[in-house]
Amino acid sequence: MSDGAYHAAYQRSLDDPDGFWGEAAKAIEWVTPPPRVLDDDRPPFYRWFTGGTLNTSFNALDRHVRDGRGEQAAIHYVSPVTDTKRTITYAALLDEVARFAGVLSSLGVEKGDRVVIYMPMVPEAVVAMLACARIGAVHSVVFGGFAPAELAARVEDAKPVVVVSASCGIEPSRVVEYKPLLDAALDRSEHKPEAVIVLQREQAPADVGVRDTDWEEMEWDDVMRDAEPADPVTVDATDPLYILYTSGTTGRPKGIVRDNGGHAVALRWSMPNVYGINPGDTWFTASDVGWVVGHSYIVYAPLLTGATTVLYEGKPVGTPDASAFFRVISDYGVKAMFTAPTAYRAIKRDDPSGELLGSLDLSSLETLFLAGERLDPDTWEWATERLGVPVVDNWWQTETGWPIASNLRGLEPMPIKPGSPSVPVPGYAVETLGDDGRPVPAGTEGAICIKLPMPPGTLPTLWGDDERYVSGYLSAFDGYYLTGDGGMVDEDGYLFVMGRTDDVLNVAGHRLSTGSIEAALAGHEAVAECAVIGVADDFKGQVPRGLVVLKSGVSAESDGERIRAELVQRVRDEVGAVASLRQVDIVTALPKTRSGKILRKTMREIADGKTPTVPSTIEDATVLETLTPVLRPPA
Ligand code: COA
Ligand code: AMP
């Protein structure tokens, strides 16, 4: 590795975090400039920019309009699934956001109140997010592919005053009606909002306000008609901007909290330094606003930068074909694109020789960034050859909100090693630790951890649950944040991320919990016990597999087929189709330790064709022997 800009910045970020992040904070416009940078008064609860005040939507919108970017495109909305293209300027976006903020205020939403947003990839989702930020309300966006039980769990925890939704989302194979899903979730939830606002879409308008509910239901267009614009409300740097629920190993999602000040500083710093994007550039992230990649790199980072962001409602393939992304790049002069490796595996599968790319002008594209799951060297190579630009892996998670490791294209581009997201990003003291809590030597696998404090923008805690934050992330190794990923660092300081060491699933770049899927399976009347494991998949990276033991008296022979089909359907209904559970096997017993812990990791290793690690505490080794032929991939 060269000893240039990266090395100097990285070292300074760790040796002098006050100086490093204090300087970065100057790119943000504060109401009160922060008197402190790192606040380490209450470890392990570190805070950034305590005492500073600002407004995130002002920084994302008003300041750009004031500084002459009013007529610049803020969003290019490209929706092949509805055959729509719409460009929204910064001035127009500011107007809509201010008016929707006024709507929320008029419904009684105040600073610190929560608003749940359950919407597809439409500009109104971005408007709703920024409107919350404008009045200091805390948004919690729920991915549209989640079914009622998942939505209800988030509503119960966040306790929103208002829920904002749309009548439908559009998948290539079907129109997904959101309103019945929302109704079912609110019926299940103990907490009820005061109002629900529904954006009507012509593909499937919803019945709004016809049910007898405790809350008021209204339509987006009606409330916006006479809305009074609201001014930005000043909040503390440490006040929450949003909660984004993410999957842990249990069925109960974790509410990742993001603050206002650290988030704005970190994301603004990342755009030029990690992604090489500056004000006025056009940037295209194909993800969903329901995931962290969408929050950070469809919405906040590009807008805080004064760049133009593409909001794409469609798929990489099939809407209409594998050239969809490249048409966007060529039509809008996209400088860099960001998506998940699965999307490129889909494109490669449909257009292996890259024929559809041939006629398009991709000269504006400088870099392709991929994240969200492991980037396999084959996909990296294919994309590099077809696009002729650097393909840059970056590794991070909902908890951190922005990259932990990347090749920093703006700060100092480095050689790329396939299979590695390159080096730790300034601010992140990444170490791989052995079971004894000591750093392992280069080239040896360990638990990837980050020495506290983590940089600005990372989670300060879990929503309403400091204890779970400490027990879930900070207790394994004293003074370190546990990422949950295993991996190693090589002699050049490059990180290799091997995958989760816990039971979190990553299916097509979507993070899901084994616990939620198990809860859906366990709810079936015929199921006595069950386990879900994530097995390697060439296309989606990983897919879940279910193993169930039936209650005594239920016959696998006569009822097995029906039960398996019902279980697959239950998971679609309870968790969402996005769980992609297709295979459920009925087995006679599950392997366990003597204390009753199900050996998911051992089963996963067998299913992946690896040599399984069988703990000495296994209760009955014959169970594993019986299961092996069921789990093993066909030779
Ligand atoms: N609303 C409702 N349903 C949704 C949905 C949404 N927002 N997103 C996905 N689904 C459904 C799909 O329609 C599909 O349903 P089906 O089983 O009836 O066909 C199911 O969930 C599985 O979806 P997915 O895993 O996305 O598979 P797919 O075969 O439809 O598409 C890809 C595969 C690769 C095209 C798609 O996964 C993709 O674009 N991945 C990129 C990943 C990504 O953006 N990750 C975010 C983090 S960067
Ligand atoms: P999410 O919180 O949904 O962003 O998922 C985070 C998890 O996805 C990480 O803990 C990793 O397991 C995985 N992940 C994300 N990016 C990468 C990457 N570039 N390489 C390997 N795994 C990744």
Side-chain angles (χ1 to χ4, degrees), residues 86-106:
R86 195 173 131 208
T87 291
I88 306 166
T89 63
Y90 267 98
L93 186 60
L94 170 56
D95 177 61
E96 274 202 60
V97 167
R99 286 193 300 126
F100 196 65
V103 168
L104 293 175
S105 294
S106 72

Side-chain angles (χ1 to χ4, degrees), residues 143-145 171 174 287 291 316 342 508-510 540 572 577-578 582:
F143 174 57
E171 286 296 290
R174 63 194 185 285
S287 175
W291 304 111
T342 311
H510 306 312
K540 296 199 175 186
R572 287 178 73 88
V578 71
R582 306 236 187 278

Side-chain angles (χ1 to χ4, degrees), residues 168-446:
C168 66
I170 295 133
E171 286 296 290
S173 57
R174 63 194 185 285
V175 172
V176 181
E177 292 190 32
Y178 277 30
K179 184 63 175 22
L181 301 175
L182 174 62
D183 289 346
L186 294 182
D187 288 344
R188 267 174 193 244
S189 165
E190 296 245 322
H191 172 83
K192 311 290 181 196
E194 280 164 33
V196 167
I197 300 172
V198 179
L199 173 78
Q200 293 286 21
R201 304 188 79 192
E202 63 183 31
Q203 292 77 9
D207 286 336
V208 175
V210 298
R211 291 199 314 153
D212 182 19
T213 53
D214 293 341
W215 58 91
E216 238 187 299
E217 291 188 345
M218 44 197 100
E219 294 186 15
W220 178 285
D221 284 351
D222 291 342
V223 292
M224 280 294 261
R225 202 161 295 128
D226 307 311
E228 288 290 328
D231 286 332
V233 167
T234 301
V235 300
D236 287 339
T238 49
D239 279 339
L241 169 69
Y242 70 75
I243 309 165
L244 179 56
Y245 287 89
T246 191
S247 300
T249 47
T250 69
R252 197 161 65 92
K254 301 194 265 198
I256 306 301
V257 176
R258 194 81 59 215
D259 66 12
N260 275 274
H263 172 255
V265 172
L267 291 193
R268 180 67 186 89
W269 186 89
S270 74
M271 283 307 263
N273 288 290
V274 179
Y275 297 107
I277 292 292
N278 291 296
D281 288 341
T282 300
W283 159 257
F284 171 24
T285 298
S287 175
D288 190 288
V289 288
W291 304 111
V292 72
V293 172
H295 277 64
S296 294
Y297 293 105
I298 294 175
V299 184
Y300 285 109
L303 298 179
L304 286 165
T305 303
T308 299
T309 187
V310 175
L311 182 77
Y312 176 80
E313 186 184 26
K315 301 275 172 178
V317 294
T319 58
D321 60 27
S323 70
F325 283 177
F326 310 114
R327 283 180 200 285
V328 173
I329 293 171
S330 146
D331 287 353
Y332 296 99
V334 168
K335 187 175 176 195
M337 140 154 235
F338 185 172
T339 189
T342 311
Y344 269 76
R345 287 199 290 271
I347 295 169
K348 178 177 156 208
R349 193 171 69 173
D350 277 20
D351 183 21
S353 60
E355 214 175 293
L356 294 170
L357 277 167
S359 57
L360 296 168
D361 174 11
L362 302 184
S363 55
S364 62
L365 189 72
E366 291 184 5
T367 325
L368 168 65
F369 293 95
L370 296 173
E373 55 175 326
R374 185 171 168 270
L375 171 56
D376 53 288
D378 281 354
T379 305
W380 177 83
E381 196 180 310
W382 185 88
T384 306
E385 275 175 14
R386 293 295 172 282
L387 294 177
V389 299
V391 175
V392 175
D393 186 4
N394 52 125
W395 169 66
W396 48 294
Q397 40 187 215
T398 308
E399 288 84 345
T400 64
W402 65 290
I404 309 169
S406 185
N407 203 298
L408 291 101
R409 303 313 291 175
L411 184 62
E412 184 190 350
M414 295 177 187
I416 291 172
K417 295 191 190 190
S420 166
S422 300
V423 295
V425 167
Y428 290 97
V430 177
E431 289 183 27
T432 41
L433 305 182
D435 292 342
D436 60 0
R438 290 183 202 202
V440 294
T444 309
E445 247 184 81

Side-chain angles (χ1 to χ4, degrees), residues 445-479:
E445 247 184 81
I448 313 181
C449 297
I450 302 165
K451 202 169 189 337
L452 297 174
M454 291 214 284
T458 56
L459 82 170
T461 189
L462 293 178
W463 181 251
D465 208 343
D466 284 351
E467 218 171 280
R468 194 175 177 203
Y469 169 60
V470 174
S471 65
Y473 296 105
L474 309 182
S475 302
F477 302 107
D478 198 26

Side-chain angles (χ1 to χ4, degrees), residues 519-603:
L521 296 177
H524 190 286
E525 57 188 10
V527 171
E529 264 198 305
C530 66
V532 167
I533 54 170
V535 301
D537 181 79
D538 283 349
F539 177 46
K540 296 199 175 186
Q542 211 177 31
V543 287
R545 265 182 79 173
L547 297 144
V548 301
V549 178
L550 298 181
K551 285 184 181 157
S552 64
V554 184
S555 159
E557 252 146 63
S558 54
D559 296 325
E561 202 170 316
R562 172 185 59 81
I563 293 170
R564 276 197 296 270
E566 285 173 4
L567 288 170
V568 166
Q569 190 57 43
R570 258 190 86 80
V571 171
R572 287 178 73 88
D573 295 344
E574 294 275 311
V575 181
V578 71
S580 299
L581 179 80
R582 306 236 187 278
Q583 187 174 355
V584 179
D585 289 300
I586 296 174
V587 297
T588 48
L590 294 170
K592 290 180 191 163
T593 61
R594 283 195 282 276
S595 60
K597 195 171 167 291
I598 295 177
L599 297 172
R600 292 186 187 79
K601 183 167 169 241
T602 312
M603 289 195 281

